[in-house]
């Protein structure tokens, strides 16, 4: 079983993730989830998310992965029973107390061990296997040798991160946020101190401890060959554009591996597309070697959010028009790319723009402005419009 696993911070992102090729999504409820700053899901939304996933024959996992204090035990059993009743496919947990609660109360929930448990050896994996854990989400610091050894020794399903933010501490075991802002990083309140920059004494120089992001696109087939089952993208607080872009590119790479048609040009193109939609550079990190200064930002950095994402297609209309909700400024003459579910990206030069009253305009400059564009083909709802930056033919 090979699975592409996507993050989702709300229902809109969840639906985008599935439509763009995710096999499963992981989300958080209002309680017991490590992304307290994400919008997260109410009980009603959890039910809707589960129904949406299962109607597509896809899976839904819910994070219950905070480090529990005594007060957090109140209501834990009831919450887990509610997740069982909703029908989620698994819970992602880090605290043994949650595993014990599920076991002691015969709650029918599959348990996946969170990366917060920092599993890096087979003995720890075997320990959790005896407790009933079905899948281990390995620490982001796992090397190829670590992964292969754990798979060979345990036979467990293994889930590994392939894309997204890294943590300065081992898989999130950090107290920098606690001591500097009084926000508990292990209970969902991380202030991301490792992204800050610090002055060095009275000098003009600055110091940072920020790791570059993770990107495993060049190692996907090798990871499959050594037994990784689930390939996880980080980012429950990421935008719909980020999720759509990253998931769609990894989906293409997965499908090409499956059909034995993957080329180096495919990897290079997808890698550039993926890197373009994130603010930080991305590298393989620990998989192939121990990270050096090349995988880290030490003396500061610039994180420039690109403005490539121009709009999202809301529906097809008569007279070869599509209704587009604007997300960034665009104008007549811009060369753009439209990409979406179940379609090859198309290149399109904007020749006419109409506002919501069907009046001709030269630019779309107002946030979330409703516009009509003339396109001579059917475009699926949920497709996205971005500036065309890369020409795939140039990689061949």
């Amino acid at each position: 079983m090979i699975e592409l696993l996507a993050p989702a911070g709300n229902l809109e992102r969840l639906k985008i993730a599935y439509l763009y090729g995710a096999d499963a999504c992981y989300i958080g409820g209002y309680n017991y989830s490590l992304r307290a700053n994400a919008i997260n899901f109410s009980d009603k939304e959890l039910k809707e998310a589960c129904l949406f996933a299962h109607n597509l024959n896809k899976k839904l996992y819910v994070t219950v992965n905070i480090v529990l204090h005594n007060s957090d035990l109140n209501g834990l059993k009831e919450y887990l029973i509610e997740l069982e009743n909703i029908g989620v496919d698994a819970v992602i947990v880090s605290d043994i107390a949650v595993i014990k609660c599920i076991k002691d109360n015969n709650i029918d929930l599959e348990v996946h061990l969170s990366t917060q448990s920092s599993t890096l050896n087979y003995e720890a994996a075997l320990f959790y296997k005896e407790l009933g854990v079905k899948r281990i989400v390995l620490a982001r610091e796992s090397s190829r040798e670590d992964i292969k050894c754990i798979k060979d020794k345990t036979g467990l399903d293994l889930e590994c991160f392939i894309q997204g933010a890294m943590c300065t501490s081992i898989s999130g075991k950090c107290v920098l946020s606690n001591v500097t802002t009084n926000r508990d990083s292990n209970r969902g309140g991380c202030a991301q101190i490792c992204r800050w920059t610090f002055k060095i004494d009275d000098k003009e120089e600055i110091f940072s401890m920020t790791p570059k992001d993770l990107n495993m696109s060049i190692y996907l087939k090798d990871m499959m060959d050594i037994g990784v089952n689930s390939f996880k993208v980080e980012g429950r607080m990421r935008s719909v554009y980020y999720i759509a872009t990253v998931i769609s590119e990894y989906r293409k790479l997965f499908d090409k591996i499956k059909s034995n048609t993957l080329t180096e040009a495919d990897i290079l193109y997808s890698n550039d597309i993926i890197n373009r939609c994130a603010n930080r550079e991305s590298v393989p990190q620990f998989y192939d070697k121990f990270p050096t200064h090349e995988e880290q930002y030490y003396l500061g950095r610039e994180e420039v959010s690109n403005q490539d994402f121009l709009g999202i297609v809301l529906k097809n209309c008569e007279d070869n028009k599509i209704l587009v909700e604007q997300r960034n400024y665009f104008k007549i003459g811009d060369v753009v790319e439209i990409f979406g579910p179940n379609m090859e990206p198309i290149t399109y030069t904007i020749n006419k723009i109409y506002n919501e009253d069907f009046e001709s305009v030269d630019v779309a400059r107002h946030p979330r402005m409703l516009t009509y564009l003339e396109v001579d083909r059917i475009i699926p709802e949920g497709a996205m419009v971005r500036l065309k930056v890369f020409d795939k033919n140039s990689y061949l």
Side-chain angles (χ1 to χ4, degrees):
M1 184 273 292
I2 298 296
E3 172 185 271
L4 177 56
L5 178 57
N10 60 24
L11 276 169
E12 180 189 27
R13 295 169 194 168
L14 175 128
K15 292 175 180 179
I16 288 290
Y18 285 130
L19 292 175
Y20 276 79
D23 299 304
C25 281
Y26 63 100
I27 65 176
Y30 286 166
N31 302 308
Y32 305 106
S33 175
L34 266 181
R35 285 294 177 265
N37 293 329
I39 299 171
N40 288 326
F41 290 71
S42 67
D43 289 349
K44 180 181 178 182
E45 289 169 331
L46 285 171
K47 293 175 183 177
E48 183 178 345
C50 197
L51 182 62
F52 187 86
H54 291 168
N55 282 342
L56 294 174
N57 199 28
K58 300 193 177 190
K59 292 186 176 182
L60 182 73
Y61 310 139
V62 175
T63 57
V64 188
N65 59 346
I66 66 168
V67 174
L68 274 72
H69 291 232
N70 289 315
S71 60
D72 296 314
L73 296 173
N74 297 325
L76 174 63
K77 182 178 78 170
E78 290 74 19
Y79 181 63
L80 293 170
I81 290 172
E82 179 63 20
L83 294 180
E84 176 191 16
N85 292 336
I86 288 171
V88 303
D89 295 283
V91 287
I92 304 172
V93 311
S94 63
D95 199 309
I96 291 176
V98 181
I99 302 174
K100 187 174 186 300
C101 184
I102 291 171
K103 190 173 183 178
D104 289 350
N105 293 283
N106 295 313
I107 299 172
D108 187 17
L109 284 173
E110 182 170 305
V111 177
H112 297 174
L113 188 71
S114 171
T115 190
Q116 299 302 124
S117 294
S118 306
T119 307
L120 285 164
N121 65 81
Y122 70 86
E123 288 286 8
L126 287 171
F127 169 79
Y128 285 108
K129 183 177 182 179
E130 291 178 2
L131 293 180
V133 170
K134 300 297 184 184
R135 177 187 291 182
I136 305 288
V137 187
L138 293 179
R140 288 174 174 86
E141 296 76 22
S142 300
S143 68
R144 183 186 190 280
E145 290 71 24
D146 292 330
I147 298 169
K148 188 175 187 310
C149 179
I150 292 170
K151 184 68 177 186
D152 291 345
K153 296 278 189 179
T154 70
L156 282 162
D157 269 12
L158 297 184
E159 180 176 305
C160 292
F161 282 90
I162 56 169
Q163 186 70 38
M166 294 290 291
C167 185
T168 299
S169 297
I170 295 180
S171 291
K173 294 195 180 310
C174 177
V175 293
L176 284 174
S177 181
N178 303 56
V179 299
T180 54
T181 67
N182 203 32
R183 289 168 52 181
D184 192 340
S185 55
N186 293 299
R187 301 180 81 191
C190 182
Q192 296 191 322
I193 308 305
C194 60
R195 308 289 185 232
W196 295 10
T197 55
F198 303 88
K199 293 191 72 173
I200 302 174
D201 296 326
D202 295 326
K203 301 176 183 178
E204 293 297 320
E205 299 167 299
I206 59 172
F207 166 76
S208 71
M209 61 185 93
T210 307
K212 294 179 181 179
D213 280 2
L214 178 69
N215 181 325
M216 293 295 295
S217 57
I218 65 173
Y219 287 114
L220 293 181
K221 186 175 187 308
D222 189 57
M223 294 176 73
M224 292 178 189
D225 289 343
I226 64 173
V228 175
N229 303 100
S230 182
F231 294 75
K232 187 171 193 172
V233 173
E234 178 274 340
R236 280 190 279 150
M237 296 172 67
R238 302 274 192 169
S239 69
V240 291
Y241 176 66
Y242 178 89
I243 292 170
T245 302
V246 171
I247 295 301
S248 64
E249 290 305 318
Y250 274 111
R251 180 79 268 160
K252 291 172 190 174
L253 294 176
F254 275 41
D255 291 346
K256 286 180 177 292
I257 291 171
K258 185 177 179 180
S259 63
N260 200 30
T261 58
L262 182 69
T263 66
E264 185 178 358
D266 293 323
I267 297 172
L268 292 174
Y269 174 74
S270 289
N271 202 40
D272 282 344
I273 293 289
I274 291 168
N275 283 335
R276 176 80 183 177
C277 74
N279 296 339
R280 291 182 292 272
E281 297 175 64
S282 59
V283 292
Q285 291 290 357
F286 288 83
Y287 186 80
D288 57 332
K289 61 179 174 52
F290 197 83
T292 68
H293 65 284
E294 296 292 338
E295 285 73 42
Q296 186 92 5
Y297 295 104
Y298 282 111
L299 299 176
R301 70 203 183 280
E302 291 185 10
E303 289 190 7
V304 180
S305 179
N306 76 63
Q307 305 298 306
D308 292 352
F309 179 30
L310 303 182
I312 185 166
V313 177
L314 300 183
K315 66 176 180 178
N316 282 274
C317 306
E318 297 178 354
D319 300 324
N320 294 325
K321 290 185 177 66
I322 55 173
L323 176 61
V324 176
E325 183 182 76
Q326 181 258 32
R327 294 298 174 95
N328 276 301
Y329 172 100
F330 60 86
K331 65 185 186 304
I332 289 177
D334 283 345
V335 179
V336 304
E337 195 167 50
I338 302 176
F339 72 104
N342 305 312
M343 68 172 289
E344 285 296 316
I346 63 168
T347 300
Y348 164 68
T349 301
I350 298 176
N351 50 30
K352 289 184 180 179
I353 305 173
Y354 301 92
N355 64 20
E356 58 184 316
D357 296 320
F358 289 99
E359 298 168 333
S360 181
V361 295
D362 294 329
V363 299
R365 58 164 56 94
H366 306 300
R368 294 185 179 260
M369 175 181 176
L370 295 179
T371 65
Y372 293 91
L373 302 179
E374 291 185 345
V375 183
D376 61 353
R377 68 188 70 192
I378 299 296
I379 303 296
E381 293 180 14
M384 298 190 185
V385 184
R386 65 186 174 204
L387 283 176
K388 185 173 178 64
V389 178
F390 304 107
D391 181 359
K392 190 169 185 179
N393 292 327
S394 67
Y395 294 80
L396 301 176

